[in-house]
Amino acid sequence: MAAAVSTLGSGAYRHYLSPGEFRSAFGASQSSIAAVRGYLSNQGLLVSGPSPNGLALTVDGPASVVAQVLRVGRFNNYELPSGEVGYAATGTPEVPAPLASAVAGVIGLSSLAVATPANEFASSTNVPSRGPTGQASAVAISADPEVSNCVGANSVADAYTAQDYASAYGLDSLYQQGHAGQGVTAAVFELASYNSNDIAKYQQCYGTDVPIRNIGLSPGIRVGSGTGEVELDIEDLLGLAPKLSELEVYEAPPTGVGIYNEYSRIASDDSARVVSTSWGVCEPDAIGSGLLGAENTIFAEMALQGQTVVAATGDSGSEGCLRSDGSTALAVSDPASQPYVTGVGGTTMVSPSSPPVETAWNESANPAGAGGG
């Protein structure tokens, strides 16, 4: 059905489902939900839900009880390269045979698969002179008094404005036809917060007044690591689609549960026609944590509802797990690797002509990073 509603010429083309219709057609049955809820509750765990699409239950309880009920051995703590401490179960979860067909996966048994922003390699002192287009690492992310006003921003060497991008990629012709985001709500998927004053200054500089709505899935999402990524995501959309009806900023913790819940919420809200993210997880980690398969169902739901999802392919080149565990094995980044998501890779724009002069982005020797695939 996802293919049919997206294929020109199909009788179902653009006959999208509402979230309620999706749940009726594809959500878990009431009997399955009751069986799983009853089993977990009887074992001493607190169960809430299901989610609006009928695909997930939220389960809380002491680590020792969770380990016993799901037969995962125990939970161990591990010190990550960043110095932070994460946890992971030592075994694979099991449920009684009668429930096996009702449970697709368990997310949250490990905190080691943490999403990272695509501009992790970039810094205020070592930024590629010609950064990747389509990914948010082309400009410095730290506060700079020289770019605190429009005049200063437009005079920065080796940086491109929204007008440069619009001209290079032919958006000017769309603007002339009245296509600048009118009537469209877009959303950005974020795992950190942002400084609203920065965005207000950007809108003032570009003369835009797009309403921004924040949707936080958890209290305490802070400004800090990843904030530069969030602000670049927002500013890119405001600059290139200046007439959007609304821009939704979804925020959740950078954990497997946070990632899943945020995508699920965007799908259930079904208000954004376009969803953009620059955050990713090394695909093997997403597989091991149970996240990959669960995400796939959510992205299929979005396709059925007519929601387009675009995701940066990452800044680790062909070694998608390099930043998470130091592995140099060939790997890609989730969710850009998902079949219902459009992966967007980075290029080096040598000249913002129309069409632009571009090459593949590869500054791994800096080490500024390289476009994923």
Side-chain angles (χ1 to χ4, degrees):
M1 183 179 284
V5 299
S6 307
T7 302
L8 184 64
S10 164
Y13 182 56
R14 293 201 171 184
H15 290 185
Y16 301 125
L17 301 184
S18 68
E21 290 171 331
F22 176 87
R23 175 168 181 165
S24 296
F26 300 106
S29 67
Q30 291 301 315
S31 59
S32 293
I33 293 172
V36 176
R37 182 199 302 277
Y39 171 73
L40 296 174
S41 298
N42 290 337
Q43 300 297 316
L45 297 174
L46 178 65
V47 184
S48 58
S51 56
N53 56 14
L55 292 175
L57 293 169
T58 299
V59 183
D60 292 284
S64 58
V65 178
V66 172
Q68 180 179 5
V69 173
L70 295 178
R71 302 180 183 181
V72 294
R74 56 172 292 168
F75 288 94
N76 287 339
N77 289 330
Y78 301 88
E79 184 175 354
L80 304 176
S82 64
E84 297 179 359
V85 175
Y87 67 86
T90 59
T92 302
E94 298 178 13
V95 296
L99 300 181
S101 62
V103 178
V106 182
I107 303 170
L109 298 178
S110 168
S111 67
L112 303 183
V114 177
T116 56
N119 70 349
E120 184 97 350
F121 280 134
S123 71
S124 60
T125 57
N126 183 21
V127 177
S129 60
R130 299 294 190 185
T133 62
Q135 294 186 101
S137 46
V139 296
I141 61 173
S142 63
D144 187 335
E146 294 182 0
V147 297
S148 60
N149 59 72
C150 294
V151 175
N154 281 293
S155 64
V156 176
D158 296 324
Y160 298 126
T161 65
Q163 291 95 328
D164 291 329
Y165 285 124
S167 176
Y169 293 110
L171 298 184
D172 287 346
S173 62
L174 293 178
Y175 298 157
Q176 293 168 7
Q177 299 171 37
H179 301 306
Q182 292 94 329
V184 175
T185 294
V188 286
F189 171 99
E190 304 296 354
L191 299 172
S193 193
Y194 65 96
N195 292 305
S196 58
N197 287 340
D198 290 348
I199 304 305
K201 289 179 180 179
Y202 185 91
Q203 294 228 68
Q204 182 182 20
C205 178
Y206 277 94
T208 61
D209 58 356
V210 176
I212 297 177
R213 183 160 64 98
N214 298 321
I215 304 165
L217 276 69
S218 178
I221 306 299
R222 299 186 300 273
V223 170
S225 176
T227 288
E229 184 80 6
V230 177
E231 295 187 2
L232 287 166
D233 288 347
I234 294 171
E235 290 168 358
D236 280 345
L237 279 169
L238 295 175
L240 295 174
K243 298 295 184 181
L244 284 171
S245 294
E246 185 175 60
L247 178 60
E248 299 173 333
V249 181
Y250 286 82
E251 299 174 353
T255 63
V257 173
I259 292 168
Y260 177 83
N261 286 342
E262 184 169 343
Y263 281 126
S264 181
R265 173 67 182 273
I266 295 172
S268 296
D269 287 351
D270 193 31
S271 53
R273 295 301 89 203
V274 179
V275 181
S276 176
T277 183
S278 296
W279 296 78
V281 178
C282 154
E283 189 180 68
D285 288 347
I287 294 173
S289 67
L291 179 63
L292 195 79
E295 279 184 334
N296 179 64
T297 307
I298 298 297
F299 293 134
E301 176 184 359
M302 290 184 177
L304 286 168
Q305 295 174 176
Q307 296 177 283
T308 295
V309 184
V310 292
T313 56
D315 285 4
S316 299
S318 59
E319 302 165 350
C321 299
L322 185 63
R323 282 183 287 160
S324 61
D325 58 21
S327 172
T328 57
L330 296 178
V332 292
S333 178
D334 168 77
S337 61
Q338 290 275 358
Y340 296 109
V341 172
T342 298
V344 182
T347 63
T348 295
M349 186 157 65
V350 180
S351 172
S353 54
S354 183
V357 178
E358 299 176 286
T359 63
W361 175 53
N362 188 346
E363 296 187 88
S364 54
N366 282 4

